[in-house]
Amino acid sequence: MSTIRGARERARVEVTAAIKDEARKQLAADGAAKLSLRAVARELGMVSSALYRYFPSRDELLTALIVDAYDAIGLAAESAGTQGAGEAGSHATRWTEVACAARSWALGHPHEYALIYGSPVPGYTAPQDTVGPASRVGLVLIGVLRDAHRDRGLALPPLGDALRPEAARMAADLAPDLPPEVVAALVAAWAQLFGLISFELFGQFNRVVEERELLFRHAVRELGRSVGLLPEGDRPSRAVAGAA
């Protein structure tokens, strides 16, 4: 019985992968709004009722694709974030490499990137299942700042009095062990990072920027400065004391 069960499980995994691969082809050809379970089933030579046993609705298939995309870009960021981890003075470099890994994944998977960072799909509401995968890149960036904070390698970004209560709330929710000044700057930098990637991917840089990787790296280094990271060898003028 275990052999039969194992064969069935492998078959289910293979069919699920085939369904998602065909759905990604439809995303590339027609966009997420036109994703159709019937069309996927037809291309795979399946009857619709058989496909519904794997994904009961279009929204469940979309959710699976969204989770896969977030996990993939998250894995790319995490892999880059481990390079140099634990080495003193490596934090600014790690920040830049994490951002570049996210950009590289996006350029290599433009339709999947558009699914998670492009226009919302009409009629679709992302479930709670997507929150964890969607957080992975941000958590890597928080980890870089946490390591820099521990090593007393953060300068304190400026923060106006009006924003301070909101910054404190965000810090309590996202990274209680980081100063509110750093967390507020991080949220802004996170938004700007994906704005840079989206501008490049969706054509806003056409006829404007030719050396896009050079611009991206420069901009990301400046974002690192904005959150308190300084290039290796520099010392912060307003250092944030790390954890004891």
Side-chain angles (χ1 to χ4, degrees):
M1 288 296 292
S2 60
T3 301
I4 295 174
R5 187 180 303 112
R8 288 175 177 170
E9 290 173 353
R10 287 194 298 273
R12 185 173 183 84
V13 169
E14 291 171 2
V15 174
T16 300
I19 292 170
K20 292 196 286 188
D21 286 345
E22 179 56 37
R24 291 187 187 100
K25 292 178 184 177
Q26 288 196 20
L27 291 181
D30 301 317
K34 294 185 178 180
L35 181 64
S36 164
L37 290 183
R38 291 183 180 275
V40 171
R42 183 172 59 250
E43 290 298 321
L44 293 175
M46 299 174 66
V47 296
S48 299
S49 58
L51 190 145
Y52 291 145
R53 291 199 293 269
Y54 294 85
F55 296 100
S57 69
R58 180 209 69 159
D59 284 6
E60 292 201 23
L61 178 54
L62 270 176
T63 295
L65 298 176
I66 288 168
V67 168
D68 283 354
Y70 276 131
D71 278 338
I73 193 172
L75 179 60
E78 289 162 0
S79 297
T82 62
Q83 302 299 315
E87 297 178 10
S90 67
H91 313 301
T93 298
R94 287 173 60 208
W95 171 275
T96 299
E97 293 309 312
V98 167
C100 287
R103 172 181 177 268
S104 294
W105 183 88
L107 294 177
H109 304 82
H111 303 293
E112 293 167 70
Y113 179 88
L115 178 63
I116 54 178
Y117 290 110
S119 300
V121 180
Y124 174 79
T125 301
Q128 191 70 19
D129 296 355
T130 62
V131 173
S135 304
R136 289 176 67 169
V137 175
L139 289 175
V140 177
L141 297 176
I142 288 173
V144 172
L145 295 184
R146 185 174 286 124
D147 289 346
H149 182 40
R150 180 200 62 215
D151 295 341
R152 300 179 183 272
L154 278 178
L156 199 65
L159 180 66
D161 290 341
L163 184 58
R164 190 167 294 278
E166 176 63 5
R169 185 199 64 78
M170 289 190 293
D173 286 347
L174 301 175
D177 52 341
L178 291 177
E181 292 89 345
V182 172
V183 174
L186 170 62
V187 171
W190 171 65
Q192 291 173 76
L193 167 62
F194 285 102
L196 284 164
I197 295 172
S198 295
F199 259 51
E200 179 175 1
L201 202 64
F202 301 146
Q204 281 88 350
F205 282 159
N206 291 351
R207 300 183 182 181
V208 178
V209 181
E210 294 184 1
E211 297 291 345
R212 295 173 185 174
E213 182 172 359
L214 291 177
L215 175 68
F216 183 82
R217 283 185 170 272
H218 168 76
V220 166
R221 285 193 293 269
E222 292 304 308
L223 290 178
R225 286 181 179 272
S226 77
V227 300
L229 292 171
L230 295 178
E232 284 71 22
D234 287 3
R235 296 297 301 170
S237 57
R238 299 174 64 208
V240 181

